[in-house]
Every structure is written in structure tokens, then in C-alpha cells.
Amino acid sequence: MATSLDLIWIRQDLRLHDNPAIFHGGGRPSLLVFTLGDFPEEQKTELARAWLHAALKSFANDLDHRYKAKMIFYPGTLLEFLDSVKPLVDIKKVHWNHSYTPAGIERDTLYQAALSERGLEVEAHAGNLLHEPWDIHGKNHAFIEHFSPFQRLYFDQLSHRTSLDYPAHVKTEIVKGVNYGTLKELKLISNQKRYDDLLDYWDISEKAGRDLLKAFVKDRLQHFDDSCEIPSVQATSKLSPYIAWGQISVRWIWETCDNQGGGEDAKTFLNQLLWREFAYYSLFHNPQLLQEPFSKDFERYPFRSDAGRLEAWKTGQTGYPLIDAGMRELKQTGWIHNRIRLVVSSFLVKNLGISWQEGAAYFLEHSIDADLALNTVNWQLVTGCGVDSYPFSRILNPVSQGEKFDPEGIYVSHWVPELRNLPEKWIHQPWNAPIDVLKRAGVEMGANYPRPVVDFQESRSWALDAFHAMNGNDEIYGTG
């Protein structure tokens, strides 16, 4: 006779605290299953699989340590798993936390219908956003195109759900004949060195995310407004990968920061969580944003195809030190400071003339905090073609941005060590430095450090001319 059990389906919610699927499903005897075959296509990169391996390892250890519970590692899909255990297990109910990407929503809708046909009950939970995007409505149920009214709605009108504690029980069962698999059998690590390097920079666990939040609130939140734009200072939370992988709850982050008194520093930080909510809300109502600009005029913008310039940008060899520092940080650590993200994105699209889709695809592949909604909305924001975007004419100057946010060249010196001996005056514009200064610093332009791939002012003028040819209604706001 088949054993009667529930099933808890684990996806990108690799935590025990404030995990509604586990909290509500763990009280009954269950199978707790991760299915690699359902993993999102955009998260199948080498870097993503390496992070996933470490996150699953830590999560399985936490389950065993806290509850003596066991997880099943299955290489196929949920439906395939259910077929494989059908003779052995009578599944009554399936718990999962909502997915919010277009492909995830489509899959969950299909699965819910398929499971209902099999007589299984599905209980889908709100687990990874502050509010479900389909529950947020503007005036007369209109789509909210701008962040400010969306922000006011969150702060003034929406009541926030309280986070859930660790579940009292997680009762997983060992069923004879069921193959529980092993993490190693999923073959997630294709590059052992890349995996080892990742572990040198990151502690990939739920505990690490919670410890980061605790340290951030204690030591840095009260100064966040003043220091969050400085890339050489450890002022940001660095929680983004833990949020992206569901290793920490956004509700818990909100509560923890809001409980500090809700001052301006806390509000500035919480606005970053709200921007993530806005990104998912925007993508839910406009799934075409993954491929198309929100502003249809930009379908006429003459983006260039230039493999050489694109490769220089990817590898940190553009000849602009702040750009190169950011792209090298991304390549080595899988993470990049938010201010630098804006500058390197603006440079690719507006100075190199390469499409935002190229940049978005590269960031998805090489960022450990890759988030489909945020990544898409952020690239369109910088380009000027998205919801609540910057004016196109906001073209960030890598030299002035470096002098403003890295005035001593500390960030550039770390990631572009061939320039570390240059004086502060020249470190963000080495091509303008006198020959004797370059010689003393051991810098030879075009030899051990590249000359700029484009002239900033000329490329800026080209971009603005192209924009005006497309749609000449933009006001000139300056270069940043």
C-alpha cells in the first residue's frame, strides 16, 4: 500500500526562516523535493549553478541539523518526479512558494492544472515578495508607470505581512524504493576553480545572509544615505545574492530595518527593496519587457553591433579606469557596486552604442545576484526606454563619476592595479597625464593599459544625435 504524504517543492527559496511552503507544509509527513529540471533557463549559467550547488548543500545541512529532515535531489521536473514515485507514494497536497517571472508563472499555472487533474491539492504561498504583484492596483486599476506613486502606495497604504518564524517541525519521510539522489549527482559544478573562487568571496548559506543583515543594521544602516554611493567603502548590505536565491526573506529584511526607527537612512535602503517590488510588478504587467523596450520609440534606435568594443567592455579593457574596475570586479566576484552598475551600463549603451539587451544578457550570466525582473528593468532604466526611466540624455561620464565617488582612486587601484601608482589627479583619466607622470607610475598607454576605446564627448554627441533623430523631444540634462 502506498504511503500517504504531502510534498514541499523547493525552488529559489533556499531558507528555513519565513519560508511559507515549509512553514505550512512541514507539520505533516512530507517529501521535500528540489527538481533541477524546473530550474529557470536564465539561471543555468556556470556561475548560477555553482552558487546553487553551495546553497543547496548548506540548505540540506540546515534541514538535517535543525530537524533531522532529508531533501530529495531530483534531476528532472516535478511532474516527472511524481510519475516516478506514483506506485510508492500517495501524494495528497503539494506546497510551493509563488514564482513571479513570466516563465515561472506560466509553468506554475500549467502544473497546478495538471496536479488538479491528478486529484492533488496545490497550496501556493506568497513567499518571496512583500506583496503579490497581481494584488497591487493603481487608480482605477491602471498600471502604475512611475516609482514615486508606487512607493507612496507601499509606505502609506499597504499593510505588510509579518514574517514567519522557523517552523516548529519539518517532518520528512524516508520511503523505501524512492531514490533520494545526491547533490553530486545533479552535476552542478562544471568548473571547480570557478566554484572555489566563488567560495573565497562568499559564504553561501542562509546563516550568512542573516549575519550580513545583522551587521549591516548594527554598523552601517545609520550612515547608509551618506556612504552607499562610495564603491571603496563597505557601506552596502551585499544582501542582493541572498535575496535573489531566496536565502533570506525580504519581509524579514523590511521588518529588521523598519524596527530601527524608520529614519531617512532606513527609508533610503528600504526604497531599494521597493524598487525590486516595482520591477516584478512591472514585469508581471508587461512580460514583453524581457525582449522589448517599454518605450516603443526605442525600437528605432540605431544600436551598433561591434564585437571588439563589446569584448573590451566585458573584460575591463575600455581604457576608462572606473568602467574597467567595475567590469573586473564583476568578472572576479560575480557582484558589482550599484553606483558602478549604473556607470558601466550607461557607458555600454550610450557611449559604445551597444544595445541594452546585450548588457542585460551579460549581467544575467555573470552576476551572482542575477534577478530577471530587476536586471531587465534596471537596464531599461539606464537606457531611457523603460518604466520610470532616466532621461536618455543622462549620460554618465566615467571620469567625473570616478572623481566624485572614488576621489582617491581606492576602488580603481584595487581592481586596475596597473594604475595604482598614478596620482589621484590622473587615475581616472590616465590618457591626459603628462608623459613623465605615466613613466614614474609604470604606465604605458596602449601597452600595459589600453587607450580609450571611444572619445567620451564624441560618443556622447553621437548618442544624442541618434536619439534626436529617433525622437527629438528630450531635454538636455547634462553628463552626470
Side-chain angles (χ1 to χ4, degrees):
M1 183 177 177
T3 305
S4 179
L5 297 172
D6 287 352
L7 185 146
I8 304 171
W9 186 21
I10 297 298
R11 288 105 73 87
Q12 273 182 257
D13 40 21
L14 298 171
R15 66 181 185 274
L16 295 172
H17 180 264
D18 193 31
N19 187 323
I22 297 178
F23 187 89
H24 294 291
R28 276 183 45 81
S30 305
L31 297 178
L32 197 148
V33 186
F34 173 81
T35 58
L36 183 62
D38 292 302
F39 204 55
E41 194 63 37
E42 68 274 4
Q43 293 281 24
K44 291 183 178 178
T45 66
E46 179 184 283
L47 185 63
R49 291 168 70 92
W51 186 285
L52 176 62
H53 178 96
L56 284 170
K57 181 179 179 180
S58 172
F59 182 66
N61 288 339
D62 290 346
L63 276 168
D64 178 56
H65 177 74
R66 187 179 282 264
Y67 301 106
K68 300 301 179 187
K70 187 173 179 63
M71 184 163 64
I72 296 172
F73 299 99
Y74 189 73
T77 67
L78 176 66
L79 297 183
E80 290 168 347
F81 173 78
L82 290 171
D83 288 339
S84 73
V85 301
K86 191 174 182 180
L88 305 168
V89 184
D90 179 22
I91 301 294
K92 297 294 186 183
K93 180 188 287 189
V94 178
H95 291 267
W96 69 60
N97 294 320
H98 284 141
S99 178
Y100 302 102
T101 64
I105 292 171
E106 181 181 10
R107 177 204 58 211
D108 289 358
T109 302
L110 291 172
Y111 278 20
Q112 188 149 8
L115 296 180
S116 295
E117 287 181 6
R118 299 181 185 200
L120 277 65
E121 181 183 353
V122 173
E123 193 166 329
H125 304 273
N128 294 315
L129 290 174
L130 296 171
H131 286 278
E132 308 300 79
W134 44 83
D135 289 338
I136 300 169
H137 305 291
K139 188 175 181 180
N140 299 322
H141 285 248
F143 172 64
I144 306 171
E145 292 189 18
H146 299 286
F147 181 60
S148 292
F150 185 88
Q151 176 191 44
R152 288 194 296 271
L153 190 68
Y154 262 74
F155 277 117
D156 300 339
Q157 297 178 36
L158 294 179
S159 58
H160 295 285
R161 300 182 183 92
T162 303
S163 62
L164 302 169
D165 203 347
Y166 290 96
H169 307 283
V170 180
K171 299 178 180 178
T172 59
E173 296 288 315
I174 303 296
V175 179
K176 187 177 180 179
V178 171
N179 181 8
Y180 280 68
T182 65
L183 180 57
K184 186 176 181 180
E185 289 170 350
L186 295 184
K187 298 178 181 178
L188 292 170
I189 300 176
S190 57
N191 184 331
Q192 186 64 45
K193 184 181 185 307
R194 188 71 181 99
Y195 179 69
D196 294 339
D197 289 345
L198 189 65
L199 295 183
D200 284 342
Y201 284 105
W202 300 93
D203 180 353
I204 304 173
S205 65
E206 177 180 359
K207 181 180 183 300
R210 289 172 63 83
D211 287 347
L212 273 176
L213 175 62
K214 183 178 179 181
F216 171 70
V217 169
K218 178 177 179 290
D219 301 326
R220 303 193 296 280
L221 179 61
Q222 64 270 34
H223 308 298
F224 186 74
D225 230 2
D226 296 328
S227 54
C228 66
E229 299 277 19
I230 309 299
S232 62
V233 174
Q234 178 61 14
T236 63
S237 69
K238 284 204 168 180
L239 287 171
S240 56
Y242 300 92
I243 294 172
W245 290 92
Q247 291 177 285
I248 192 168
S249 155
V250 289
R251 284 192 294 248
W252 176 245
I253 296 172
W254 185 282
E255 289 173 14
T256 302
C257 295
D258 198 41
N259 286 341
Q260 297 305 300
E264 286 305 308
D265 290 287
K267 191 169 184 178
T268 299
F269 177 72
L270 293 177
N271 276 336
Q272 297 190 354
L273 290 185
L274 292 190
W275 181 256
R276 176 176 181 266
E277 300 280 313
F278 185 58
Y280 275 99
Y281 167 82
S282 299
L283 188 58
F284 173 73
H285 287 283
N286 304 276
Q288 75 280 2
L289 292 180
L290 294 177
Q291 295 85 30
E292 303 172 8
F294 185 73
S295 172
K296 299 304 179 187
D297 289 342
F298 272 85
E299 292 178 351
R300 303 193 304 272
Y301 188 83
F303 288 115
R304 295 162 164 167
S305 178
D306 190 318
R309 288 181 175 183
L310 180 59
E311 186 63 20
W313 178 80
K314 288 179 178 180
T315 55
Q317 295 291 331
T318 67
Y320 284 90
L322 192 67
I323 303 296
D324 295 341
M327 297 309 293
R328 294 183 194 187
E329 179 185 27
L330 176 64
K331 191 170 185 179
Q332 290 187 41
T333 71
W335 185 88
I336 184 172
H337 187 278
N338 189 55
R339 166 52 52 179
I340 309 303
R341 288 183 197 231
L342 295 176
V343 182
V344 301
S345 303
S346 174
F347 186 79
L348 179 75
V349 173
K350 297 174 181 178
N351 296 104
L352 301 186
I354 295 171
S355 74
W356 65 269
Q357 291 96 329
E358 288 274 13
Y362 186 79
F363 268 38
L364 270 183
E365 183 178 356
H366 292 277
S367 302
I368 51 169
D369 56 2
D371 179 301
L372 192 62
L374 264 178
N375 189 58
T376 302
V377 170
N378 282 344
W379 273 94
Q380 292 202 23
L381 166 81
V382 173
T383 302
C385 66
V387 288
D388 204 9
S389 292
Y390 297 149
F392 182 83
S393 54
R394 184 181 179 186
I395 302 176
L396 300 178
N397 186 328
V399 175
S400 59
Q401 290 283 302
E403 291 171 346
K404 181 176 182 179
F405 297 111
D406 187 33
E408 297 176 0
I410 297 172
Y411 177 73
V412 164
S413 294
H414 179 78
W415 292 109
V416 190
E418 58 266 44
L419 301 180
R420 65 161 57 110
N421 293 323
L422 277 176
E424 295 171 11
K425 179 179 179 179
W426 304 113
I427 196 165
H428 292 292
Q429 47 180 329
W431 60 89
N432 284 329
I435 295 297
D436 62 318
V437 172
L438 292 173
K439 189 173 182 179
R440 284 197 300 272
V443 177
E444 186 177 351
M445 298 300 296
N448 63 356
Y449 187 69
R451 299 184 187 279
V453 291
V454 292
D455 177 274
F456 177 78
Q457 293 300 338
E458 289 179 3
S459 59
R460 177 180 184 273
S461 295
W462 179 90
L464 291 174
D465 287 346
F467 176 82
H468 286 298
M470 175 194 82
N471 175 11
N473 297 321
D474 196 34
E475 182 181 349
I476 301 302
Y477 285 85
T479 64

